[in-house]
Amino acid sequence: MTKAEPAVAVALALPISLLAVFVYQVLKLVYTALVEKYDALLEEGRDRAALGITLGMTMFYGVPFAVLAFFGILFGTDVIRSLVESIPDTVMRGMTAVGGILPALGFAILLKALWNRNIAAFFFIGFAMAAYLQLPIMGIAIIAASVAVYLCFNEFNQLKANKHATTAASASVDDKDGFFND
């Protein structure tokens, strides 16, 4: 937009993105606080009010980022940099610590929801491939997707064969014999 060098874009992007991360953390804090209100509305049977909260949060979510980008470009990096530097050090350290923990927390929540003894081996195989074979994540994802597709097709064919065998076995049983054998 400014017809300037790419370095100018990088200079603008860094302070704007730092401020956007801070705004993102604050938004998530506010949205998490609204969960209790949302649950209370649902328990009271006020579904339309709960839907209003959901739609309001969804519609409002992008507004702070759009405003930040607009004013960041309008006023330049100096204003954004001064805003970022005005955030207290303790808040920035806290946000940095939380930002570092969030990926691990998200992964732990995902594992808790999906953990199963049947897939534990795949988890450790993927970890070993990344840690010891130095395979990139995309390579591991492609291998995992291939194995998943193979296992799905294998299970589908097995279910189809079992269904066919069950249908053939039930067709060969006489109605009277089937009544007494069940």
Side-chain angles (χ1 to χ4, degrees):
M1 286 175 38
T2 61
K3 309 266 192 282
E5 297 291 319
V8 174
V10 172
L12 274 173
L14 188 63
I16 291 173
S17 65
L18 284 174
L19 193 56
V21 167
F22 181 74
V23 169
Y24 174 78
Q25 296 294 342
V26 171
L27 270 178
K28 287 300 180 182
L29 182 68
V30 170
Y31 283 11
T32 303
L34 287 174
V35 168
E36 203 171 303
K37 175 71 174 169
Y38 183 81
D39 286 341
L41 288 172
L42 288 177
E43 286 178 10
E44 294 171 7
R46 297 176 56 198
D47 295 344
R48 292 182 77 76
L51 179 63
I53 287 178
T54 301
L55 291 176
M57 289 189 311
T58 303
M59 299 302 273
F60 179 75
Y61 184 74
V63 171
F65 301 109
V67 169
L68 230 106
F70 175 77
F71 284 116
I73 292 170
L74 183 67
F75 295 126
T77 59
D78 294 332
V79 173
I80 299 296
R81 187 173 295 122
S82 68
L83 276 173
V84 170
E85 289 172 358
S86 72
I87 297 171
D89 286 340
T90 54
V91 172
M92 285 303 280
R93 280 195 305 270
M95 291 295 184
T96 303
V98 168
I101 292 171
L102 281 179
L105 180 64
F107 194 64
I109 290 170
L110 183 64
L111 275 179
K112 183 166 176 48
L114 298 176
W115 189 256
N116 185 334
R117 285 185 294 178
N118 297 335
I119 64 167
F122 295 111
F123 173 77
F124 290 112
I125 290 169
F127 176 78
M129 290 169 77
Y132 299 113
L133 299 178
Q134 303 296 316
L135 287 175
I137 298 297
M138 186 56 82
I140 296 170
I142 291 170
I143 292 168
S146 302
V147 170
V149 167
Y150 171 76
L151 291 175
C152 286
F153 278 131
N154 194 24
E155 186 174 341
F156 175 73
N157 289 333
Q158 185 66 36
L159 288 173
K160 196 163 59 169
N162 288 347
K163 184 178 178 184
H164 181 67
T166 304
T167 306
S170 66
S172 67
V173 175
D174 186 28
D175 287 339
K176 291 180 184 175
D177 293 335
F179 179 77
F180 291 106
N181 289 333
D182 286 337

